[in-house]
């Protein structure tokens, strides 16, 4: 496979609202990000994926865009944005923009026009249907609860919204929509950005009348066209958000021969702690064997054919240390263990803000303390369906999106140094112990472990391009694998539990050194090793 710069890059996702507030209005902003570029440089990342900063009424915190070529007032101005791109570029950091083109805000001028009349020139920019027997055209459901169809009195038709009713879906069957989107993408590419993260891109080929939403028949045709008309002749990173992707589907998107995207986010691993066929709120404990099987499948099936993205976290997911680690007694050990096993696989790692200091899930008392539209809608929907308050809150504590969205914890000072105003969402009260200032000072912190993992990726091509072999597939406690490239081999052995365990090697290794661990002294002898809770060891073997 042809080598690409993003094969060896590490991406850091910023959720601007919660990153750093420079003007004390309680909301993070672009100048706040500029202030923190040196921090990101110290961590060693190469790319920032910036969650949406465009003009938006914020029904879904910027994922409802009312002007793609303007900046949200609370975040700053286009001059600030240009400065962010150029100052980041000067430091060797590329900015990847979030491309949200499955839907717009209902305040986008196209939709304002579209809803005016059936013969408005913008009518066909969105998906409008007549009622069927005085009701919704069909049973399509919104991801944010309830029907995906909203009735509009003005013209007596329903419009489609797969997310909130303030996020009407664009009609990709209309070629004019393609043209508008491509012009907008070129506007951003001309500014020197490093690429696009594409929001729910698997939905743009939908066929609403057949109730097909993901992976519609024309999806790949649209992406090839988008590639040809926009980023195809720029050396950029593109990553699609594709919830239902299997390795087969991922290869359609990211086989370099097909000229679509660099890679996709697949969510198979992330869905393993929900009951089969149910919603993410319907919890079940993770089985480590399932997790290993999923990674094994993706690592081996994409090798040499397409490219993996590697992530535990984003702005929609709970904090990994609370989810599959231990955010109490073994917070540091488990956060480092999880980082180690993820970062040393093949693919481009993504770090979500705060993950690098081991930020944890939050537990607010009341539903009104939560901001997230998905969480609030689900709460009211489930209350009306007879679920108990306690049961719903447990789901929110485990899976709610605000777990990821509490402001970044920079220091132990008021509001964690995020703002001296009133933060738009309360901080996690643990900011006094868990914060950036403390993490930088402490050489054994989670932060410095992430920094070393990033350094290792730059140093060892085996991490970027080596083959992958899962070891001890049936071990219920240990996550272990090897990577191999020419005369270099790495062995990664990790205890995924809070109990001690042992691990038996099946091969003999002569020349082994330890590259990285999360405990002070770990065993070098490679026959049988005793692993402490969440212990992770990376061995380098000379072949
Ligand atoms: C996926 C985004 O990651 C999420 O935050 C958003 O709510 C939906 N797409 C709708 O844009």
């Amino acid at each position: 496979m042809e080598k690409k710069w993003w094969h060896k890059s590490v991406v850091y996702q910023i959720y601007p609202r919660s990153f750093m507030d420079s003007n004390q209005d309680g909301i993070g902003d672009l100048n706040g990000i500029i202030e923190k570029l040196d921090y990101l440089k110290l961590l060693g990342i190469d790319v920032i994926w910036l969650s949406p900063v465009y003009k938006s009424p914020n029904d879904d915190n910027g994922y409802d865009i009312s002007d793609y070529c303007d900046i949200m007032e609370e975040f700053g101005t286009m001059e600030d944005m240009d400065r962010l791109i150029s100052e980041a570029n000067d430091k060797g950091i590329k900015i990847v923009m979030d491309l949200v083109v499955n839907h717009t805000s209902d305040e986008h001028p196209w939709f304002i026009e579209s809803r005016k009349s059936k013969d408005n020139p913008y009518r066909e920019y969105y998906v409008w249907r007549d009622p069927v027997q005085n009701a919704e055209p069909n049973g399509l459901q919104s991801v944010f609860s309830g029907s995906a169809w909203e009735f509009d009195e003005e013209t007596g038709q329903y419009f489609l919204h797969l997310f909130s009713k303030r996020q009407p879906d664009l009609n990709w069957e209309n070629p004019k929509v393609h043209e508008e989107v491509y012009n907008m993408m070129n506007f951003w590419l001309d500014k020197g950005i490093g690429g696009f993260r594409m929001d729910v891109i698997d939905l743009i080929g939908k066929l609403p009348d057949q109730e097909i939403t993901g992976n519609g028949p024309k999806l790949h045709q649209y992406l090839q066209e988008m590639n040809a008309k926009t980023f195809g002749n720029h050396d950029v990173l593109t990553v699609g958000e594709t919830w239902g992707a299997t390795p087969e589907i991922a290869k359609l998107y990211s086989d370099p021969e097909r000229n679509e995207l660099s890679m996709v986010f697949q969510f198979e691993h992330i869905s393993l702690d929900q009951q089969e066929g149910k919603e993410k709120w319907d919890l079940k404990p993770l089985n480590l064997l399932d997790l290993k099987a999923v990674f094994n499948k993706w690592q081996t099936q994409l090798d040499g054919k397409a490219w993996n993205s590697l992530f535990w976290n984003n702005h929609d997911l709970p904090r990994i240390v609370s989810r599959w680690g231990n955010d109490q007694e073994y917070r540091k050990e488990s956060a480092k263990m999880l980082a180690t096993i993820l970062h040393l696989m093949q693919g481009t790692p993504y770090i979500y803000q705060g993950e690098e200091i081991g930020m944890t899930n939050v537990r607010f008392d009341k539903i009104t303390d939560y901001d997230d539209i998905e969480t609030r809608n689900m709460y009211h929907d489930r209350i009306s369906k007879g679920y108990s308050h306690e049961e719903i809150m447990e789901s929110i504590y485990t899976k709610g999106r605000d777990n990821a969205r509490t402001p970044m914890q920079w220091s132990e000072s008021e509001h964690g140094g995020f703002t001296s105003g009133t933060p738009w969402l309360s901080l996690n009260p643990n900011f006094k112990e868990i914060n950036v200032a403390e993490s930088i000072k402490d050489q054994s912190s989670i932060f410095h472990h992430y920094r070393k993992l990033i350094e290792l990726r730059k140093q060892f091509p085996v991490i970027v391009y080596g083959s992958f072999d899962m070891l001890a597939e049936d071990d219920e406690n240990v996550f272990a694998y090897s990577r191999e490239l020419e005369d270099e081999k790495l062995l990664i052995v990790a205890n995924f539990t809070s109990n001690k365990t042992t691990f038996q090697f099946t091969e003999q290794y002569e020349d082994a050194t330890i590259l990285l661990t999360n405990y002070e002294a770990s065993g070098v002898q490679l026959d049988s090793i005793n692993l402490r809770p969440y212990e992770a060891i990376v061995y380098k073997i000379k072949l």
Side-chain angles (χ1 to χ4, degrees):
M1 198 156 50
E2 194 193 337
K3 293 195 168 146
K4 295 284 185 188
W5 63 264
W6 37 264
H7 287 159
K8 50 181 193 319
S9 297
V10 176
V11 184
Y12 187 92
Q13 184 193 349
I14 291 183
Y15 194 69
R17 210 173 181 74
S18 300
F19 191 62
M20 181 65 199
D21 176 18
S22 73
N23 64 352
Q24 318 315 337
D25 64 354
I27 298 175
D29 46 46
L30 295 175
N31 285 325
I33 300 175
I34 295 174
E35 274 175 34
K36 296 296 181 185
L37 285 174
D38 284 334
Y39 166 71
L40 298 176
K41 200 66 207 155
L42 177 66
L43 178 59
I45 57 101
D46 314 276
V47 179
I48 293 171
W49 151 22
L50 198 56
S51 274
V53 293
Y54 317 94
K55 199 161 175 210
S56 161
N58 282 310
D59 189 49
D60 185 20
N61 283 348
Y63 284 89
D64 48 319
I65 297 169
S66 55
D67 187 343
Y68 291 100
C69 297
D70 201 355
I71 299 295
M72 191 188 304
E73 240 163 75
E74 297 97 307
F75 289 176
T77 62
M78 193 54 92
E79 287 70 51
D80 298 331
M81 186 64 219
D82 290 338
R83 207 153 47 82
L84 170 59
I85 297 172
S86 95
E87 292 199 18
N89 281 347
D90 289 348
K91 292 183 196 295
I93 297 176
K94 296 177 198 282
I95 304 281
V96 162
M97 298 297 282
D98 215 314
L99 182 78
V100 188
V101 292
N102 173 67
H103 44 268
T104 68
S105 157
D106 63 347
E107 293 187 23
H108 195 291
W110 301 337
F111 190 72
I112 294 176
E113 284 300 312
S114 186
R115 77 190 318 176
K116 280 187 180 161
S117 69
K118 284 188 184 169
D119 54 11
N120 187 285
Y122 287 90
R123 188 68 170 181
E124 296 305 317
Y125 274 44
Y126 295 86
V127 184
W128 292 95
R129 294 290 183 270
D130 285 327
V132 172
Q133 289 170 345
N134 283 327
E136 288 83 9
N138 60 36
L140 277 179
Q141 291 291 300
S142 152
V143 176
F144 293 163
S145 306
S147 170
W149 295 102
E150 178 73 8
F151 188 66
D152 198 52
E153 297 284 343
E154 191 78 22
T155 53
Q157 285 192 315
Y158 285 87
F159 67 86
L160 180 74
H161 61 91
L162 291 175
F163 294 89
S164 107
K165 59 179 182 222
R166 303 211 41 206
Q167 291 167 299
D169 277 56
L170 282 166
N171 175 18
W172 274 80
E173 290 184 75
N174 178 357
K176 283 203 186 128
V177 167
H178 300 206
E179 228 173 274
E180 300 265 16
V181 167
Y182 302 157
N183 286 343
M184 172 274 279
M185 291 172 75
N186 286 324
F187 166 86
W188 283 100
L189 286 164
D190 289 345
K191 286 184 179 287
I193 61 164
F196 294 105
R197 173 269 183 184
M198 303 186 178
D199 192 65
V200 289
I201 201 68
D202 56 335
L203 301 182
I204 64 170
K206 69 181 86 69
L207 292 179
D209 301 312
Q210 294 169 45
E211 300 196 30
I212 295 175
T213 51
N215 297 311
K218 292 201 186 144
L219 172 63
H220 295 284
Q221 181 189 320
Y222 294 167
L223 289 175
Q224 284 166 12
E225 179 193 79
M226 180 187 280
N227 177 308
K229 300 223 163 156
T230 64
F231 55 82
N233 52 1
H234 293 71
D235 190 12
V236 295
L237 177 165
T238 51
V239 51
E241 186 197 21
T242 59
W243 274 84
T246 60
E248 281 316 310
I249 294 177
K251 281 185 246 176
L252 296 178
Y253 289 104
S254 68
D255 169 352
E257 309 262 290
R258 291 173 51 86
N259 293 320
E260 294 188 21
L261 307 181
S262 312
M263 64 190 107
V264 294
F265 291 129
Q266 59 85 12
F267 292 87
E268 211 180 335
H269 62 309
I270 280 313
S271 308
L272 290 173
D273 55 6
Q274 84 187 43
Q275 295 167 35
E276 196 128 348
K278 297 232 184 133
E279 295 184 282
K280 74 177 198 185
W281 310 107
D282 301 306
L283 312 174
K284 94 170 190 207
L286 173 74
N287 177 342
L288 179 63
L289 296 185
D290 294 343
L291 184 70
K292 295 201 295 188
V294 166
F295 275 121
N296 194 11
K297 178 171 78 179
W298 281 88
Q299 287 290 299
T300 49
Q301 293 193 17
L302 262 49
D303 187 24
K305 304 198 175 76
W307 195 250
N308 268 294
S309 64
L310 304 169
F311 70 98
W312 291 126
N313 279 111
N314 66 33
H315 63 293
D316 296 328
L317 300 173
R319 296 280 180 184
I320 195 62
V321 67
S322 303
R323 187 179 195 175
W324 293 340
N326 174 322
D327 64 10
Q328 303 293 314
E329 194 183 351
Y330 296 112
R331 188 182 64 88
K332 278 189 172 184
E333 291 80 1
S334 64
K336 291 180 192 176
M337 180 279 289
L338 288 159
T340 307
I341 57 176
L342 190 79
H343 278 243
L344 299 181
M345 287 194 235
Q346 193 186 82
T348 301
Y350 289 73
I351 301 170
Y352 177 69
Q353 66 184 43
E355 177 185 338
E356 77 281 15
I357 57 166
M359 279 176 62
T360 67
N361 281 355
V362 72
R363 293 170 81 92
F364 294 133
D365 293 336
K366 302 185 296 297
I367 187 63
T368 46
D369 295 333
Y370 286 87
D371 169 87
D372 173 29
I373 182 164
E374 180 189 50
T375 302
R376 287 175 173 231
N377 284 3
M378 179 283 285
Y379 179 88
H380 297 299
D381 188 52
R382 290 204 163 187
I383 286 285
S384 74
K385 289 179 175 148
Y387 289 72
S388 73
H389 168 81
E390 289 68 29
E391 191 182 349
I392 305 177
M393 291 312 284
E394 213 35 60
S395 297
I396 295 174
Y397 294 151
T398 316
K399 291 281 184 74
R401 304 199 296 182
D402 282 341
N403 284 310
R405 298 177 181 186
T406 58
M408 184 73 180
Q409 299 169 195
W410 293 104
S411 70
E412 61 174 18
S413 54
E414 206 193 0
H415 306 311
F418 163 70
T419 183
S420 51
T422 307
W424 71 278
L425 181 69
S426 298
L427 272 94
N428 190 317
N430 63 19
F431 71 84
K432 290 217 155 51
E433 302 83 58
I434 304 174
N435 60 62
V436 168
E438 179 56 39
S439 305
I440 292 180
K441 242 188 306 168
D442 172 9
Q443 282 307 314
S444 73
S445 68
I446 301 167
F447 173 84
H448 288 294
H449 194 84
Y450 270 86
R451 204 174 48 69
K452 286 180 205 149
L453 284 166
I454 297 172
E455 252 172 42
L456 288 181
R457 174 168 290 269
K458 309 272 178 259
Q459 213 178 328
F460 292 99
V462 60
I463 298 175
V464 184
Y465 292 112
S467 61
F468 175 95
D469 255 307
M470 187 64 87
L471 305 176
E473 281 166 55
D474 300 327
D475 192 317
E476 291 177 351
N477 304 312
V478 176
F479 195 124
Y481 60 89
S482 66
R483 304 288 313 278
E484 203 172 317
L485 185 74
E486 291 155 12
D487 63 346
E488 240 163 34
K489 180 166 181 144
L490 299 184
L491 281 178
I492 293 89
V493 182
N495 179 358
F496 211 88
T497 75
S498 50
N499 303 313
K500 290 182 184 160
T501 189
T502 55
F503 184 73
Q504 214 79 39
F505 286 92
T506 46
E507 273 181 59
Q508 290 291 314
Y509 301 104
E510 305 274 296
D511 183 356
T513 47
I514 292 183
L515 273 188
L516 188 66
T517 69
N518 58 350
Y519 275 85
E520 257 169 33
S522 297
V524 190
Q525 78 289 0
L526 286 182
D527 36 22
S528 163
I529 44 175
N530 295 320
L531 293 166
R532 288 162 282 190
Y534 299 105
E535 183 160 9
I537 313 175
V538 182
Y539 299 97
K540 182 164 139 306
I541 315 277
K542 194 106 196 102
L543 294 176

